[in-house]
Amino acid sequence: MATTETFYEVMRRQGISRRSFLKYCSLTATALGLAPSFAGTIANAMETKPRTPVIWLHGLECTCCSESFIRSAHPLVSDVVLSMISLDYDDVIMASAGHQAEAILDEIRHKYKGNYILAVEGNVPLNQDGMSCIIGGRPFIEQLREVAADCQAIIAWGSCASWGCVQAAHPNPTQAVPIHQVIHDKPIIKVPGCPPIAEVMTGVITYMLTFERIPELDRQGRPKMFYGQRIHDKCYRRPHFDAGQFVENWDDEGARKGFCLYKMGCKGPTTYNACSTVRWNNGVSFPIQSGHGCIGCSEDGFWDKGSFYDHVTDTRVFGIEANADRVGIAAAGTVGVAVAAHAAASAIHRIKQRAGEHHEENDQA
Amino acid sequence: MFTGIPTVQQTAVYVYQTPVRIWHWVNALSITVLAITGYLIGSPLPSLSGEASDHYLMGYIRFFHFAAAYVFLVGFLFRLYWAVVGNSYSHQLFTLPFWRRRFWSELLHEVRWYAFLEQEPRKYIGHNPLAHLFMVVIITVGGFVMIVTGLALYSEQTGLGSWQDQLFGWVIPFVGQSQDVRMWHHWGMWVIVVFVMLHVYTAIREDIMSRQSLISTMISGWRMFKDDRP
């Protein structure tokens, strides 16, 4: 193992020119929201620091995070980062297999004790003693606990590792739980999304490798630089929202003109992600740009929040799915009718009472 | 002296002080604006045509919602202050004497009165127990929940680090996620709408059928009793 190699040396060995390296540094500085002067800082760090190993574990997942990662928009980014981490452990893309591969895990754990980053894709099924996810003949939870014990920090890739995602959706037969419910004693950086954006993933890794600290996180443990704002806040269709111009049907004039998709159930106003700024596939597009609302894939429990085409969540009340508007209108209507009936009854009651009093007065006279 | 003409002395008690009365009507107006604009934020009006730069409809609707929300918030805080410095009836809104047996027996009596099982309602200087219960649960607790969830949602636009975010941002992960907070804020609107319907109806009904004044009391502050019996 090239233990003393710096990032820069690894990159040069991979055939990356100095010019490309510097371009990568400035691009990363921009992606991280740093000042242009930080490109030099990044370059300097990469040239002088011995690289930090990254172990990439796969739990209960669909590999969409890996698929996204290897399609990082700037090809260089994936080249650079992959060359930094694939040498160590990632059972999907590394060359070695079987016992040889598992041996690497042990080697890194002991050699870099407390100095490596653990990236986890997917989550942990707890039911049936964790039998729903077996890695190298053992439940994934055992592998995760062992590797996590000696790591510096954990990156939870995707909505699975961050929140639970589809395998934890109701009724969650395998009792899949996100990483933070299994590992409690390590800092966990959540990078949610199904999958997360490639540039967000490489950006987070590069930040941690370069500055040797975890990026600033929000309350839920997501890097503020990518998850600090909602899709809605920077959506290019936002002016149509403010103007009150909405798509009402998938084939109407508004849809052709690119109006706001709020009424079609766009989850942009409730979803924290960088899609509307970084976009996907080399910055080509993102769901809203291609005419479909955001489904909120980077939000906690997004599979259990009702239809993808309704921004008002269905509420399970007594086993019946109903939304606030339907129940609210029904309740207001019922109360309205009840009030009218009660008013009528009150009036009749009063007339009768009056009649009774009148009789009494007459009797007295 | 018996004159043959029945005389009824109308006693009156000063209940609602001027600030409370002003707060009541300001609150009523802000809730009306909040409910209408809030509904329109959840279910916007039909789409407008033309250029986006020609209109700012959602912007105005949202502006009125937030403006009315701040009026409601300031009113709520003021009302809380007045509960401390105001007269003895002014803290009814924030205290529910559920530990008193009498409260529950009077509550039952009031329910029976509405169910036509009692011939005559009792006299109350402040709120009757049923009204008192509803006021505390809907206006105080409900209003508080709407303020907290509303400011949490508002913090999403003012951004990380804003005072709204620092004070109320925790509500979003506490409830679940942004969409859940929206849902409960939306439910709160319907709860308050139903309350307003009941409140207006019972205020009119009791003004006519009970033994004391109600609507005029919230204008003049004086509770008039229609008879001298206890």
Side-chain angles (χ1 to χ4, degrees), chain B residues 22-70:
Chain B
I22 293 172
W23 168 78
H24 173 271
W25 295 109
V26 169
N27 214 32
L29 184 68
S30 72
I31 288 174
T32 308
V33 173
L34 282 167
I36 294 169
T37 54
Y39 182 80
L40 291 177
I41 291 168
S43 309
L45 292 165
S47 184
L48 297 172
S49 56
E51 289 298 319
S53 54
D54 295 340
H55 314 285
Y56 197 57
L57 185 60
M58 273 303 266
Y60 290 129
I61 290 173
R62 290 172 66 248
F63 171 78
F64 280 114
H65 190 76
F66 303 140
Y70 272 117

Side-chain angles (χ1 to χ4, degrees), chain A residues 124-135 137-143 145 173-175:
Chain A
V124 191
L126 299 179
N127 241 1
Q128 300 144 342
D129 299 323
M131 298 294 272
S132 304
C133 187
I134 301 288
I135 311 279
R138 291 188 306 153
F140 172 61
I141 188 166
E142 289 183 16
Q143 187 190 37
R145 283 204 172 120
T174 63
Q175 212 201 319

Side-chain angles (χ1 to χ4, degrees), chain A residues 218-220 224 227-230 232-233 238-248 254 257 259 262-263 267 269-272 296 299-302 305-307 310-315 317 322-329 331-333 335-347 349-350 353, chain B residues 39-60 62 113-120 152-153 155-161 164-173 175-180 182-184 186-187 189-190 193-194 197-198 201 205 208-210 226:
Chain A
D218 69 359
R219 272 187 202 83
Q220 284 126 298
K224 278 183 182 174
Y227 297 91
Q229 279 185 308
R230 301 169 297 170
H232 190 57
D233 293 320
R238 179 62 188 262
H240 293 297
F241 173 84
D242 289 332
Q245 297 180 312
F246 301 98
V247 178
E248 309 264 6
K257 285 185 171 164
F259 285 177
Y262 183 65
K263 282 190 175 181
K267 305 275 202 300
T270 57
T271 304
Y272 289 80
E299 284 298 308
D300 193 357
F302 84 101
K305 302 298 174 199
S307 166
D310 191 355
H311 65 89
V312 182
T313 312
D314 284 338
T315 322
V317 189
N323 74 33
D325 275 338
R326 263 173 276 160
V327 175
I329 290 168
V335 168
V337 171
V339 160
H342 198 266
S346 300
H349 188 73
R350 193 171 169 83
Q353 227 175 9
Chain B
Y39 182 80
L40 291 177
I41 291 168
S43 309
L45 292 165
S47 184
L48 297 172
S49 56
E51 289 298 319
S53 54
D54 295 340
H55 314 285
Y56 197 57
L57 185 60
M58 273 303 266
Y60 290 129
R62 290 172 66 248
W113 156 245
Y114 278 104
F116 307 107
L117 295 171
E118 295 289 343
Q119 279 298 311
E120 198 172 60
L153 292 173
S155 79
E156 297 196 299
Q157 0 180 351
T158 53
L160 291 170
Q164 292 92 343
D165 171 63
Q166 285 176 339
L167 292 178
F168 300 98
W170 57 271
V171 174
I172 291 170
V175 175
Q177 50 135 298
S178 178
Q179 208 184 337
D180 299 311
R182 253 151 239 267
M183 184 188 77
W184 291 116
H186 202 91
W187 271 105
M189 183 268 285
W190 283 114
V193 164
V194 168
M197 292 170 69
L198 291 171
Y201 167 63
R205 181 184 193 266
I208 300 167
M209 296 188 62
S210 81
K226 299 173 190 171

Side-chain angles (χ1 to χ4, degrees), chain B residues 3 13 37 49-50 53 67 73 76 87 92 101 116 128-129 139 144 151 172 186 200 209 212 221:
Chain B
T3 56
V13 182
T37 54
S49 56
S53 54
L73 170 65
F76 195 88
N87 66 16
Q92 260 196 317
R101 235 188 137 77
F116 307 107
N128 76 57
I139 296 297
F144 180 75
L151 280 169
I172 291 170
H186 202 91
V200 171
M209 296 188 62
Q212 66 230 24

